[in-house]
Structures are given as structure tokens and as C-alpha cells.
Amino acid sequence: MAEKSLLVGVIGAAGYTGLELLRIIHGHPYVKLHVATSRSHAGQPIADIFPSLRGFVQSHFEPAESPRLRQCDVLFMATESGVAMDMAPELLASGCRIVDLSADFRLREARIWEKWYGKPHGAADLLAEAVYGLAEWARGPLVKARLVANPGCYPTSVLLAMAPLARDGLLQDGLVINSLSGTSGGGRTPRTDMMFSENAGSARAYGTSGHRHLPEIEQGVRFFGASPAISFLPHLIPASRGIFSTIHLGRGDAALVHESLMGVYHNEPFIDVMPMGSQPATNMVLGSNMCRIAVHATPGGAVIVLSVIDNLLKGAAGQAVQNMNIMFGLQETSGLEAVALMP
Amino acid sequence: MAEKSLLVGVIGAAGYTGLELLRIIHGHPYVKLHVATSRSHAGQPIADIFPSLRGFVQSHFEPAESPRLRQCDVLFMATESGVAMDMAPELLASGCRIVDLSADFRLREARIWEKWYGKPHGAADLLAEAVYGLAEWARGPLVKARLVANPGCYPTSVLLAMAPLARDGLLQDGLVINSLSGTSGGGRTPRTDMMFSENAGSARAYGTSGHRHLPEIEQGVRFFGASPAISFLPHLIPASRGIFSTIHLGRGDAALVHESLMGVYHNEPFIDVMPMGSQPATNMVLGSNMCRIAVHATPGGAVIVLSVIDNLLKGAAGQAVQNMNIMFGLQETSGLEAVALMP
Amino acid sequence: MAEKSLLVGVIGAAGYTGLELLRIIHGHPYVKLHVATSRSHAGQPIADIFPSLRGFVQSHFEPAESPRLRQCDVLFMATESGVAMDMAPELLASGCRIVDLSADFRLREARIWEKWYGKPHGAADLLAEAVYGLAEWARGPLVKARLVANPGCYPTSVLLAMAPLARDGLLQDGLVINSLSGTSGGGRTPRTDMMFSENAGSARAYGTSGHRHLPEIEQGVRFFGASPAISFLPHLIPASRGIFSTIHLGRGDAALVHESLMGVYHNEPFIDVMPMGSQPATNMVLGSNMCRIAVHATPGGAVIVLSVIDNLLKGAAGQAVQNMNIMFGLQETSGLEAVALMP
Amino acid sequence: MAEKSLLVGVIGAAGYTGLELLRIIHGHPYVKLHVATSRSHAGQPIADIFPSLRGFVQSHFEPAESPRLRQCDVLFMATESGVAMDMAPELLASGCRIVDLSADFRLREARIWEKWYGKPHGAADLLAEAVYGLAEWARGPLVKARLVANPGCYPTSVLLAMAPLARDGLLQDGLVINSLSGTSGGGRTPRTDMMFSENAGSARAYGTSGHRHLPEIEQGVRFFGASPAISFLPHLIPASRGIFSTIHLGRGDAALVHESLMGVYHNEPFIDVMPMGSQPATNMVLGSNMCRIAVHATPGGAVIVLSVIDNLLKGAAGQAVQNMNIMFGLQETSGLEAVALMP
């Protein structure tokens, strides 16, 4: 146990990402929940909204403007896009460090952000400072970061698999990425198309006119030195959690691809490059902060890379806590040791 | 009502495709179940194995060698690969017409069949005669066909969407097809990896080393005049039924693609080319013989075609009955009028 | 085919019961959809809201006040409680016959209705006239009925099993009824607690402080001559459709119970009294208008009766159409011949 | 960290309970996996069979006769009924302490065991010594226990709720217990009726002719001083995990029942007596060792108690580890701190 626990705040804590942050923070040996805010549930016991936390979390949701936020060492922002950019400047000025789980600081260029999110960026001057927190690739910058842009769920599953390949020149033009996601990525706000009766036993694509995670993936791949044209399509499947990304690399040498991944990741606690030809499934990672990656050679000579994560953990709250651990010099796996819950 | 009902036999009727055939035949106005065979359940009441048929189907499963088979006008073979090729010659000689739902007669070249199925083809001389029953594209040959090779589930979902495009020169090289399937395609034989506990809430790819439906798709596309390299990967999702195929065409003109599909299919009872940009879901076709197809233009200028079917209906038993209807000059939609069951 | 189709209207057609009515009416040989109303979707193509109907239903939702309603021979009301009681008097005066799928006319005593529904009953004078449409038990009255109260989903599953036993004096005091339901019974209006992420893989009870179907069950049992104290608890399970009712009768003679059921129902097209000791499952009835009932003797000498239906069919739209068929002298099974869709 | 970790063995580790034990042991601070045996998978890497353990568990399954078993401080037996009774005497003689998760030592009378399990009991002399490990009620005896009979999943969910009531004289005759279970309780051995396609979207009862957990529940209730006639029926729902037990107590005073439960359990780390009228759901406990219990008064004056657990944790492996913690004087919650994974 650390001498003194870090004080943690969660802003927008009444969604699924918020719930997951509260769950991880509860089990984290070196941090302490100081405040959790919610516009819609301020004043209510957290465990009334999230009964899975009964017996573990005793406090109440506080209003969005709670003064306790400024007393925190680190703030997680699990808010809708547009909120973090408004709140971040003042909170940073108070000395808090921020891990923003929304999309506000993920894209480095305000112009691109504004095109995809359809509104002006309210804190464009912070974009250059924000560290894109793809944890395994950002350890250096994270140590001193005041503001971390936590990657999106699809980009995390895709970029962890593609970063080594981009760096090693193994990506060609015309990449096709086909991703499947559970419904929890769609949030907790009620919508007809997210109801049980609408999704049980059914699959569909969405974001066909352009999903906001595409520019994030493109930016990430470019950062690692490649700039292939990418066709990305997300799908919704009848599962609560999990992302399964199928990355069609086109013709190539699967062994080289596997080596490239192994070379980078063989010692990573949260990345499992499986033996050539393995078949990952999302239930091999659900409830854990793991990303499992497999490489396949097709009979036609193409290479396919498969990547699975839990969208709420490695794809959101888990990676956010991993980033916090790195920022504050804690053991990187603290609070994130859980093995996947299977079946 | 026809003067006299056709006599129908179902060989290998104790699997999911068999069950679906029995269900459709029961509701078909012009045909009558004469015999249903099952090696493992011979002698047992059909409704004991399939209680959903209680009150509708009174007969028993008969042995594989039942003499009643030869009395049938038409036989559906819902057997594992290798069985139909052994039985077909004699049954055809008895005057029965056959719709084979297995893969035995789908590939025109014995050499390719043998490569993918790993054994010698026992009736290679019938391959040239067999009609590939992609119903909407085979009406002429079907009328006189003695032996119909009913297409696979994935190929049906893919080829219905790609046939017009192949014919109209709209396919370029490097196609990527990503398909999702419910578990019923995996059959009724117990296997650990098909158990509820293993699949609930989880997704995975399979057939990564080459799925047998790939050569069938390649042959089909070639038949319509194109020969692009194709990367095809099937996935299993936690649903019982349904196939969702996402076909990434690469850069192209989505409007042309949509026109090509509309031009061919606008009057088809079982094919619905949805308005540009529509979002099909498998629960829009489950329980029906419909194939719904949508076309999308991505922000990067690529074209994506989405195709959904019920794997047990349009992808198996439904198309088989549609083929029978055409073979015998019946109303093509007879027995297949069911609207999708949603939710 | 009838000389002239009945004209049918569906009021409140944009919910799941409405969808199911539209689907059945489309396939019904003797009726024709004349109008379907929806407050929220008036003016929109029906198939835009329910894409499973694309290609089958071409018309638009009309406003709640559509004058076409009065032109109908029969109106199905799939509205929330309180609507039918307001609209019924005028529509009946126009000569329409009504099958009300809401709860407005199910309870014969306004006092009890008002206690359970928490508001005054606006058409109490119609309660005596309304026929409680438990189809197999109401054929006589249905023939002349102007106003039919279509039973609730739980009461249907329970009363079909209990009616013969009540009549034959086989019910003792202290009945316990434990029912499981799929989520579609909860409707299509978005609610957090009905979202996919909240229900996937989870079960819960509800209505513990008293479910409105209890007085309906009590009234029904009383009608058949018994008045046991009943403890009824509904549960929600991760399925879209289906009701599984487990009726614990206490100590008794299972053979007598089975005989009582067989005696009444052995020739019913929609009720299947399974052999003693059978194990019904909801997927043996989903998509069909069947009710399957099984009787069990426990090792302790108690009798348990199990009853399964599809809540949207025999528990709502299916029974409503069955009632209409009886009211108008049509073949009782018309439009309802579908065999359960399994798997 | 303890000076020296306990050495742990898991016998029959290739089932779901075995997997869950391996997962918990991996995260337990005071114990170390010394050997895991499997008849069918001896020699194979554990993580090949259970890929969710990749990166966490490096060892191989060993044969059932592994000499390493005798070196263990404690052995968990996750075997089919009949195995533990054969192996226990010799292993106890070697000085190992045993927590048997099978049913072999749960019933105190060999006669009753033999009646329900249909074979002679091979170690009847150990029955008197075996401690029935309903953890919260067996702490004293557990400290010195050599052999612990870990309770069944249904009995755990039921007895935790009923023990205080039995003791306080709040149980009357004619109890009805209706339980719902996820499929993982059915094990990992492939069976047609446990396949995904057979269970998705469907519910059914089973064990109607008498479930083996009934005598265990009866014995437990008797132990706490009551002997009501009990009707118990388990059901299978389309979920992987979780048990939801609905206990119908008949007429009574709900407040007294709630008080009785609160009085005993208000300080228990793994038992949550929720406020009167709460609605527990299985997803409030999945992945945790919690049992949540709620009390309801029905409008008819009856009392219903609801109890939810994760069948693989509090209902099997979790309670087994809790028992081990008590046996060896470890912190009772060690290794079991996980909060439920929701959604």
C-alpha cells in the first residue's frame, strides 16, 4: 500500500465507462475515490444507480460543479464529446492531471476534429499538449502528461495490432478493417435501437457514412509511419461487451507480421500475441485489460490480423487506469490484474 | 391447390436444415412429406426429436435406405459432405429429382472439390449436369434439372449481392468479404465449442486457414464474368440464425453499384435492394426467405455492400424449396411467404 | 378465399404487438389491412419503422383520429391502458367490432380495475358487455361479441392450464405461479432497464408489489369455479419472446390433472397437452400460436404444471386474430398456421 | 503476503468450476497452484484448453494420479459424483485437507445419498466427519475440518436466504422454490441440449422428477430447525452464469423476515440483504462472490424472498476458496474481492 493514496475524481460517472472506472478504482491499491459526478444523478447514492457496487461504494454522485474535483490528483472524464474541452482548462489550472476518456483531445488537428464532430473545438490550444494514451506506446510522454486523451475502443483494438506493422513497413495500401462490438459501447442512455428486443439474436453494421474512430485510426497509423487508405466498418453484435477487429492486410508475409508483433509485445503484460493461426474470441478477454492478437495466412496469400479487447477495459476504463498508473509512477498493472471471466 | 401433391423426401432430416425443410414442407400447399430419413433416429417419432413440430408432423424417421425414397418426386439431401455423391446416382436412376443441400455438387471441378474436401469425389460424372441453384440466376436450367446443387449459406448471401456487379464489370481486384453467422450453421452435433456457455456474449472468427465456401464464391463470381482476388473470413456471433455479409468493394461509384442491383432485382420477391445508405440487420430477415442488400459509400470513396439472409432459409432450406418450386413449375413463393419474425 | 375480405384496422400499431398484428394480417387469407394508426409515427411508411415488413406492407401509419377507422369491420387496439376505454364507445357506435389488446376491458369490475390501474375507468358501462377472449373458452360469446377483451400474456399462459383444473375441482388453496417472460412484453418505448446491456445474461423478478395480471388471473380462475389464494411472480429473462409459466399446485394427483387437461384440449389446434413428464421449452412455440402444457409429479407428491406460449402470439396478437376468426365465422386457424421457428 | 504460500491442487480442473478455481487461485495472495489434474487433457498446457488464462497460468494438466497431489496443503475436487469418495480416503491420509465441490459428501446419510445418486456410497464412514461448507454458517467447524463438502449452487442460493428464517421459526409448511440458472452449471461436456442453438432465446424447466439438490436443501433447512415440505424446481435460462432463486414463503410478515436476515447478515462481506422491496438481478453479482437477498410482501399478504448468486463463484469455486480461507486462518475475503462485472 502506498504511503498516501492518490485522490481520484470521475466526471460523468453514471455511464458504463463511469461504472467501470468506479469498479477498478475500488480495487486499486494506491488510489481512493474522492468524488464522482453526474448531472442526472447528483445527490443519489452511487450504489442505487449501480447496484453491482452495493457494499463496495458508499458515496453519492455529486453535481458536475463539485469543488471536490479540484482537490483531486487525477480526474477521469467519462463525459460526452464537448464537455471535457470546456472543463479541462480550469481543472488543469487547479493542478489536477486529467485522463479524458471522451474524444475531445484525441485528434491533434482542430480542423479534423471539427469536421468529424460537427462543432467548434473549445480548447484547441490544448491539442498539442494532450498525450494520446495508447499506453504501451506512450510511456515516456505519459510520465509528465497533464492531459491524456484516452484512445477510443475501436482504435485501441486496431492500433495495438497495426502500430508495429506500420513502423516496420508491413502495411500496404487498401487496408480493410471490420470490427464487431458489444452494445455497451453505445452507452446507457435509452434508445429504441439499443433495446434488448431489438438486438437479441441480430447483427448490424453502423457508422457506414463514416465513423468518428476512422480519423483516429488514420492519425494513429500515420504516427507510426504509414498512410494506407483504410476502409473501416463497425458492427453491433448481440453481446454486452467486447470488440473483435478483423484487419485484412492484403497479400503479405504472415510470418513477418507475426514476428513484428512478437518483437514489440512479447513482454507486455496486457498484450498477448498468440501463436500463428490461433483463434481469439472476445470471451478470452472480457473482464480483463488484455488485448489478444492473432495472425493468419489465407490460402490466397493474404494476411489477416485479429485483435480482441474488452471495450470497457482495454478499450476505455482499463487503459485509462493503466495510463494513470504510468503517469504517477505506480506499478503499471495495479488494479488491472483481473483475468478474463469465462464463461 | 395442385391436382395432386408432389411427394417429397428429406434425407438426413434430423439436423437443423432438415428441421427447417420439414417445417416448410408442412406449410407448403402443393407438396406432401412422403419420407424423412435419419441414420441416428430411425424409428423415432419426428416430433420427439423436434418438439416444435408436435401437432404438425406425425410420422417417424425412417432408415437411410428406406424404399420410400425412390417413390418421391423430389428428394432433399441434408446430409454431410460425401453422402449425396454416393446416393445420388441410384436415386436419379429411380426417376427422383434431387436438391442436394450438401456441398457435394457445388463445385464444377472434381479436382477443386477434392482439394477442399480432402477426399475423392465419388460421382464426378454428375458435376457437369448438376445445376448450381442460386435460384434467381438459374431459373432456366432449373426447370429441367434432375440434380440441383443448393448453394452454401455464405455464398448465397455474397453471390446474390455480387452477381449483378460481376456481370456489370463493377468488381475490382482485392475484394474483402467479412461474414458473420449465427451458430445454427454449425449443425446439431454436440461440440464443446458450440455450447451455449462457450458462445454467449462472445464473437470469434473461424475458417481462417481457408473456408470451403471460398472456392464456391470464387466459382460463382467467375461464372458472372469477374475473377478478383477475394479474401473471405467468416465469424461466429452469439445468435442462432442469420448471416451478415459485409463486402468491401474498394474505391468505386456507389450509385452505379446500387443501380446495378436495382436493375436486376427490383421485381424479385425474395431480394430487397434497400435504398442507398440503409442499415440492414439480420432480424429483418430471420424466419423469412428474404435477402436484403444495402449499398454504402464510405467517406474515403470506397463502396461497401451489405447482405443479410437467414442462413437456414434463403441460405439453405428456403432456397432449396424455392428451387423445387421452379423445377416443378409451381408458384415460386409457395411455402415461402413468411414475413421475418421480429423481434 | 372469402368473397370479400374483412377490413381491418390496427390502432397503436407502432409497438411490438402492432408489428405482430400487421405481420399476421398480411398473411391472413380473409382479411385486409385498411388502416394502421400511430400517434408518434403518423405519416411515415410502416416499413420504415418496421423494416422486417419491407416488401410486404406498403402503407403509411395514419393519425390516431383517422376516419378510415370507422370503415373497418374489426379494429385491433394495441394501445396503452386508458386509450381503448376512451375510443371504444364511438367506434362501436360506428358499427366496428373491437378486439382490445390492452387491459381496459379485462376486469369485469370497475372498482378492481381502478384499484390496479390507478385511475377512473372511463367506460365502465361496457365492462359487462365485453367478452373475455380466452379463445378456447369463449367461442360461444365471441360469435356475437362487439367488444372483446384480449387476455394478457401471463393470464393466457396460466388460465389455459388452470381452467380445466378449476372446473374439475383440482385446485387447492395456496397456488404459486412463477412466470418467466422475454423482453418484448415490456414494449418498444426506450427505457434504461430494457436495454440490451442491462438484460443480456441476466435475470430478475419484477412486479413484486403486485402485477396487474394477478387480478386477471384471479378473476379467470374464479370464473371457472375456484378461488384459491394465488401468489404470482413474473420474471424477466434474456430472451426477446416467450413466456414460461410454472404453476405449483401443491400435493395432488398428477394423472388426474393430466386427464383433466387432455379431456378438454385433445382436439384443440393451438393447445398441446404433452405426455406426462414432458419438458416444454419456449423455443417449441416461438413464432407460433401454440400453447404447450406439461404435467409433472414431484418426488414429494406435489403436482407442477408447465405452460409455454409466445407472448406476442398466443399471448397477444395471435390470440387476438384467433378471436377475430371466431367472431366472424372464419376458419379458426386462418393466418395462424405457422409452426414454431426453431432454432 | 504470507510467509509461505499454501500449496493448492485442483482435481478435475478442466471443467468450468476448475477454470474458475484456477482463475481465483491465480489472483489469491496466499496460495500457489501446485498441480491441476485432468483425465482428458493430461499433458496439455492449461492455457491451451482455457485461453482466457494465457499469460497467467503456465503449467500443464497432470494425470489424475499425479503424485504432486499428495504434496498439497489443500485439494479442491471439481470432479463428477463418485470420484471424490474414491480418492478422498488416501489423500486425507497423506495429510491433505480437501474441499470437495462435488456432491459426494453433502448428504449426511449414505442411504439418502444412494437413493438420489443411484449407486453405493464408497466412503460412508467419512460422511459424519465432512463439514457442510455453507461458509457463513460453518466457520467454527471449518477451522479444523479435514474434509469439506462444498454446497451445491442452488442450495447455496436457497439456504443462505432460508437459514435465518428456519432458525427464527419463520418458515411454514409448503414452501415453493423456483430457481433459474445459467448454462454453465450444466458443465463443459458437449450435449445437444446444451448447445447455443438450443438455448438461445429459450427457457425450460428440468429436474422435474426430482433434482438432487432438493435433499440437500431439505437437509440444510432441517439443520437450522425447520422441516417444511418443499417443492423445488430449477429452470435453465439463456445466460451463461447466475442463479436466481425465488422462494415463496406463503403468508407471513415480510418485515420480520427482513429483520431476521439483517440481524444475521448485516456485517457479512459476501451477503447483501437489500432494502425491503429491492429488485436483485443476477448481473449484480456475476463475477463476484456476493449473494444478494431481497424480501417482498405481495398484495395478497404473502412473503417472497429473492436470492441471487453467481453459480460458479458463491455457488461453487468462490465459496470453496472462502472455505479454504477459513480453514487455514487466512483473511476470509482473500482472492474474492472482485466486484460484479456489469454490464
Side-chain angles (χ1 to χ4, degrees), chain B residues 16 183 189 194 196-198 238, chain D residues 16 183 194-198 238:
Chain B
Y16 291 136
T183 57
T189 307
M194 298 305 284
F196 188 89
S197 302
E198 299 284 321
Chain D
Y16 290 136
T183 56
M194 297 306 283
M195 288 175 75
F196 188 87
S197 302
E198 299 285 321

Side-chain angles (χ1 to χ4, degrees), chain D residues 40-57:
Chain D
S40 43
H41 295 292
Q44 291 183 269
I46 292 174
D48 279 11
I49 306 305
F50 294 137
S52 57
L53 299 180
R54 278 181 57 85
F56 303 101
V57 174

Side-chain angles (χ1 to χ4, degrees), chain C residues 286-306:
Chain C
L286 298 186
S288 85
N289 198 48
M290 294 292 291
C291 173
R292 300 195 193 272
I293 302 174
V295 178
H296 290 269
T298 75
V303 181
I304 295 176
V305 179
L306 309 175

Side-chain angles (χ1 to χ4, degrees), chain C residues 89-228:
Chain C
E90 189 189 320
L91 293 166
L92 290 172
S94 307
C96 304
R97 297 171 80 182
I98 293 177
V99 180
D100 176 25
L101 289 88
S102 86
D104 284 9
F105 299 103
R106 289 181 192 157
L107 300 180
R108 309 205 72 76
E109 294 184 52
R111 186 183 50 82
I112 297 182
W113 194 95
E114 291 168 352
K115 177 185 150 201
W116 284 88
Y117 290 84
K119 50 188 165 190
H121 197 292
D125 51 321
L126 286 172
L127 289 176
E129 177 185 348
V131 172
Y132 186 73
L134 191 68
E136 283 75 9
W137 293 90
R139 286 182 181 122
L142 282 168
V143 171
K144 304 203 163 173
R146 288 198 311 159
L147 174 58
V148 174
N150 210 57
C153 50
Y154 292 118
T156 298
S157 74
V158 167
L159 291 175
L160 287 177
M162 290 174 64
L165 314 183
R167 221 191 41 175
D168 293 351
L170 293 169
L171 297 184
Q172 18 180 326
D173 204 31
L175 286 179
V176 172
I177 303 169
N178 212 87
S179 292
L180 316 180
S181 174
T183 56
S184 57
R188 236 184 126 241
T189 306
R191 285 163 41 190
T192 297
D193 68 345
M194 297 306 283
M195 289 176 75
F196 188 89
S197 302
E198 299 285 322
N199 290 282
S202 187
R204 65 179 195 269
Y206 71 106
T208 34
S209 61
H211 191 281
R212 290 162 171 184
H213 285 180
L214 174 59
E216 191 181 337
I217 292 171
E218 289 175 332
Q219 168 183 283
V221 173
R222 237 176 2 251
F223 176 80
F224 293 106
S227 50

Side-chain angles (χ1 to χ4, degrees), chain A residues 100-332:
Chain A
D100 175 25
L101 288 88
S102 85
D104 284 9
F105 298 103
R106 289 181 192 158
L107 300 181
R108 309 206 72 74
E109 296 184 51
R111 185 183 51 82
I112 297 182
W113 194 93
E114 291 169 353
K115 175 183 151 202
W116 284 88
Y117 289 84
K119 50 188 166 192
H121 198 291
D125 50 319
L126 286 172
L127 289 176
E129 176 184 350
V131 172
Y132 186 74
L134 191 68
E136 283 76 9
W137 294 90
R139 286 181 180 121
L142 282 168
V143 172
K144 304 201 164 176
R146 287 199 311 160
L147 174 59
V148 174
N150 210 58
C153 51
Y154 292 118
T156 297
S157 74
V158 168
L159 291 175
L160 287 178
M162 289 174 64
L165 314 182
R167 221 190 41 176
D168 292 352
L170 293 168
L171 297 184
Q172 19 179 328
D173 206 29
L175 285 179
V176 172
I177 303 168
N178 211 86
S179 292
L180 316 179
S181 174
T183 56
S184 57
R188 237 186 125 239
T189 307
R191 285 163 41 189
T192 296
D193 68 345
M194 298 305 284
M195 288 175 75
F196 188 89
S197 302
E198 299 284 322
N199 290 282
S202 188
R204 64 178 195 269
Y206 71 106
T208 35
S209 62
H211 191 281
R212 289 163 171 182
H213 285 179
L214 174 59
E216 191 180 335
I217 292 171
E218 289 174 332
Q219 168 183 284
V221 174
R222 236 177 2 253
F223 175 81
F224 292 106
S227 51
I230 295 176
S231 181
F232 164 64
L233 196 65
H235 300 68
L236 208 60
I237 60 166
S240 284
R241 289 186 181 230
I243 283 182
F244 191 108
S245 285
T246 301
I247 306 169
H248 298 263
L249 294 184
R251 296 189 64 82
D253 183 331
L256 277 185
V257 167
H258 192 254
E259 262 172 49
S260 168
L261 289 161
M262 282 297 289
V264 177
Y265 291 137
H266 66 285
N267 272 332
E268 286 293 344
F270 295 128
I271 303 186
D272 172 26
V273 181
M274 303 176 81
M276 271 294 292
S278 295
Q279 297 291 11
T282 53
N283 63 6
M284 296 174 194
V285 298
L286 298 186
S288 85
N289 197 47
M290 294 293 292
C291 174
R292 301 195 193 271
I293 302 174
V295 179
H296 290 270
T298 76
V303 181
I304 295 176
V305 179
L306 309 175
S307 171
V308 296
I309 60 170
D310 182 323
N311 57 308
L312 293 180
L313 282 161
K314 189 63 173 168
Q319 182 161 238
V321 169
Q322 186 182 355
N323 282 329
M324 177 196 73
N325 288 341
I326 299 171
M327 290 163 77
F328 289 88
L330 308 174
Q331 173 81 18
E332 190 169 326

